[in-house]
Amino acid sequence: MALKYTTIEDLQSAHAELRKSFQARKTIPLAFRRAQLLQLARLFQENNDRLMAAHNSDLGRHKLEITLPEMGPIVSGAVRAAESLEEWNKPEKPVVEEWRNSWDTTVYTTPKGVVLIIGPWNYPFVCTILPLIGAIAAGCPCVVKPSKFSPASAQLLAELFPKYLDTSVYRIVNGAVAETTALLELKWEHIFFTGSGRVGRIIAAAAVKHVTPLTLELGSKSPVFIDADNTDIELAAKRILWGKQQNAGQCCMSPDYVLVPRAHQDAVAEAFKKAYQKFWPHPKGALDPSSELSSILNQHHYGRIMELLRRTEGNITHGGNADGLKRIEPTLVTDVRLDDSLMEDELFGPIIPLVPVNDVLDAIQIIQARPVPLVIYVFTDSEETKTKFLESTSSGTLVLNDTFTQLGIHEMPFGGQGDSGYGSYLGKFSFNTFVHRRSYINVPPAFEPFLGHRYPPFTEEGFQALSAPANIKIPDC
Ligand code: NAD
């Protein structure tokens, strides 16, 4: 399907209109934000079938794999944000030193201003709309720029937005690099970007010019460790294979490679084969025409993944086939070394490399030596192993005993660290992204007698009095 690009003039005038609306404080009343959030929930609920069909035509994903990570979190997230607005926006009264009690010290949350959200193709709704929920809740007018590689989804959002949302404050802009570059030349009060590290760096460089705060939700190689002596290997294999086959591995949270104690590699490989047979009992396995396997986005990525498989020096012990329709069979590769082609970059495809390690410490050292991942997955029942990972590794999220589970939990932040990006979202964390916490202080005239020491001419007595905070007793360790 052909995506209608927004003209440069139109995106510039949208930006100008949003700024005007913000200056007119249109998004300030909570009743306005609540109505818009509920409208957003309605947009997704009332057009569920059309949105799922557009998504399917872009990416060929089964409806279960659309509703679970996309429609559910969006509708429930928008409603929960609408219900939480009062609480999130409540001014905070910090506990201050007693002598400042009369100063009415308050922390207000104020919207940052007009913001931009740029999304990837692989989750064409959730990666743009969950941040948008935060922007609406915060009171920020927003332009959303979906990816051109999910054109039907992007076009439908452009059609539905004006029917449900106030277009003087919320807009969809569609386009490719030229349109995104034009957007980045404009001034925004926050940019929320989800995508690759390569483009993330371009966005960061553009944001610097206007000193624009930025959230970067990037891809990464998310490792898995199977603590084979302390876990149910078959359950681990089933959950990893399920996470990996989601969208054919084209997911930022996809379990990328699996570190497994050397002595257990064969048992783990067997467990994967067993899970595969249960998932795809069809005559031709996962590539059977009746299976629900997702396809790879385009020929470029299809070729890239097949080339990785061609270059690997590991053993392809299961799978490795493709059907000529951009579908690649979930493929298990054993005895993968750290310098293998499969360990070069985020796989973003349905390959499961098994990397043999000596033990848990070896696994941790391998993870520590590589870029900080978005997620680390650990399969273990051992408290000792859990603690070792918690204390000795860094990642956006640490998930025990499952894969791919976080987007539905609105109460926890989701976001990368280090090489996998910075900033976070979901629920109140999305709201926090788009607000400024503004301190408010009122020093009453009646306080004047207590301020006398600060005025010239300075005196020794005044110096001693005002030095008191620097001279407080420091507690013993
Ligand atoms: P991408 O970086 O190629 O594109 C992301 C967005 O940037 C798109 O809207 C695209 O139009 C725009 N863009 C592309 N080139 C640009 C340029 N030169 N200048 C300005 N804008 C440009 O990413 P993608 O291929 O759409 O998505 C896949 C990547 O996104 C993977 O690395 C994946 O892991 C990552 N991702 C991360 C998360 C997360 O939450 N951390 C979620 C989904 C996807």
Side-chain angles (χ1 to χ4, degrees):
M1 119 139 246
L3 176 62
K4 186 166 178 284
Y5 286 7
T6 310
T7 65
I8 304 291
E9 295 71 40
D10 281 354
L11 68 84
Q12 286 168 341
S13 72
H15 176 261
E17 192 183 341
L18 265 56
R19 293 195 87 76
K20 248 195 205 156
S21 300
F22 186 63
Q23 277 157 14
R25 310 318 258 178
K26 188 160 190 179
T27 53
I28 297 301
L30 294 191
F32 175 85
R33 300 183 208 177
R34 180 181 162 84
Q36 295 297 305
L37 285 166
L38 296 178
Q39 278 296 94
L40 186 61
R42 277 184 206 109
L43 183 161
F44 274 83
Q45 202 169 66
E46 291 172 6
N47 299 280
N48 182 71
D49 293 353
R50 284 187 74 199
L51 287 159
M52 300 246 283
H55 193 303
N56 179 273
S57 87
D58 283 334
L59 304 174
R61 227 182 283 172
H62 186 268
K63 62 184 179 181
L64 187 147
E65 289 192 8
I66 304 174
T67 197
L68 181 67
E70 305 240 37
M71 313 307 273
I74 287 172
V75 175
S76 64
V79 171
R80 290 175 72 164
E83 301 288 298
S84 308
L85 277 181
E86 297 279 347
E87 188 202 322
W88 290 351
N89 282 284
K90 208 184 282 168
E92 290 162 30
K93 285 280 180 192
V95 178
V96 294
E97 294 148 290
E98 209 180 330
W99 61 272
R100 284 194 171 106
N101 269 346
S102 62
W103 290 17
D104 197 11
T105 43
T106 312
V107 180
Y108 288 95
T109 50
T110 58
K112 282 185 175 171
V114 180
V115 301
L116 172 65
I117 295 172
I118 302 174
W121 59 268
N122 63 337
Y123 285 84
F125 300 141
V126 85
C127 289
T128 47
I129 304 300
L130 286 187
L132 174 65
I133 290 170
I136 297 175
C140 295
C142 182
V143 165
V144 173
K145 210 301 277 170
S147 169
K148 68 168 184 170
F149 290 116
S150 39
S153 306
Q155 193 65 56
L156 187 53
L157 286 180
E159 177 200 318
L160 294 175
F161 255 48
K163 293 183 181 158
Y164 284 83
L165 299 175
D166 185 329
T167 53
S168 70
V169 274
Y170 311 115
R171 289 284 181 91
I172 295 281
V173 162
N174 275 317
V177 173
E179 289 72 18
T180 318
T181 305
L183 283 171
L184 290 171
E185 278 159 13
L186 303 169
K187 180 165 172 58
W188 307 93
E189 272 73 39
H190 193 97
I191 299 176
F192 192 109
F193 172 81
T194 304
S196 63
R198 182 187 69 79
V199 179
R201 283 165 175 79
I202 296 173
I203 307 292
V208 162
K209 282 187 219 141
H210 292 293
V211 203
T212 303
L214 184 63
T215 302
L216 290 180
E217 299 285 348
L218 308 178
S220 84
K221 272 184 101 58
S222 295
V224 184
F225 175 63
I226 301 182
D227 191 11
D229 282 325
N230 298 303
T231 197
D232 176 341
I233 290 178
E234 290 198 356
L235 183 64
K238 183 164 87 172
R239 291 184 175 189
I240 294 165
L241 184 59
W242 172 73
K244 180 59 113 176
Q245 63 82 46
Q246 294 270 332
N247 200 23
Q250 301 165 109
C251 171
C252 60
M253 286 186 283
S254 194
D256 191 284
Y257 62 97
V258 182
L259 300 162
V260 57
R262 192 165 275 108
H264 296 276
Q265 184 179 223
D266 290 348
V268 168
E270 274 311 307
F272 273 113
K273 285 183 204 168
K274 203 168 161 187
Y276 177 99
Q277 276 149 13
K278 274 200 178 150
F279 285 1
W280 298 287
H282 319 79
K284 290 187 181 164
L287 291 182
D288 198 89
S290 67
S291 87
E292 307 287 1
L293 193 70
S294 298
S295 50
I296 304 300
L297 174 70
N298 55 29
Q299 285 299 336
H300 165 73
H301 282 292
Y302 177 79
R304 177 185 63 78
I305 296 164
M306 294 308 282
E307 175 62 12
L308 288 176
L309 277 179
R310 196 191 61 73
R311 288 202 292 122
T312 182
E313 292 183 5
N315 301 313
I316 298 179
T317 54
H318 191 78
N321 302 308
D323 69 357
L325 297 170
K326 294 184 288 166
R327 296 200 311 169
I328 300 175
E329 189 175 18
T331 297
L332 188 70
V333 187
T334 55
D335 286 309
V336 173
R337 292 201 322 254
L338 293 174
D339 59 357
D340 193 80
S341 62
L342 301 180
M343 296 299 287
E344 286 167 2
D345 211 342
E346 181 182 20
L347 285 172
F348 228 53
I351 308 173
I352 305 174
L354 291 192
V355 179
V357 295
N358 298 328
D359 51 24
V360 58
L361 290 181
D362 194 17
I364 286 175
Q365 275 169 11
I366 289 168
I367 293 170
Q368 282 174 337
R370 303 179 71 89
V372 178
L374 185 56
V375 191
I376 295 176
Y377 299 106
V378 181
F379 285 83
T380 187
D381 292 331
S382 153
E383 289 307 316
E384 199 186 332
T385 303
K386 289 177 198 171
T387 306
K388 276 184 186 146
F389 270 89
L390 199 53
E391 292 182 353
S392 309
T393 63
S394 302
S395 62
T397 301
L398 175 61
V399 176
L400 295 163
N401 298 315
D402 203 3
T403 58
F404 201 83
T405 34
Q406 212 199 330
L407 273 183
I409 310 178
H410 299 293
E411 294 75 17
M412 295 175 85
F414 176 75
Q417 200 202 337
D419 308 84
S420 52
Y422 46 81
S424 63
Y425 69 125
L426 292 190
K428 187 165 184 191
F429 300 94
S430 306
F431 169 81
N432 287 344
T433 295
F434 294 106
V435 289
H436 168 65
R437 289 206 148 68
R438 188 182 196 192
S439 294
Y440 171 94
I441 305 159
N442 178 8
V443 185
F447 209 75
E448 193 57 17
F450 302 96
L451 299 176
H453 285 315
R454 68 181 184 173
Y455 301 120
F458 302 131
T459 63
E460 183 57 24
E461 186 198 356
F463 173 76
Q464 292 302 335
L466 296 181
S467 297
N471 295 323
I472 57 166
K473 182 169 165 29
I474 297 172
D476 296 334
C477 290

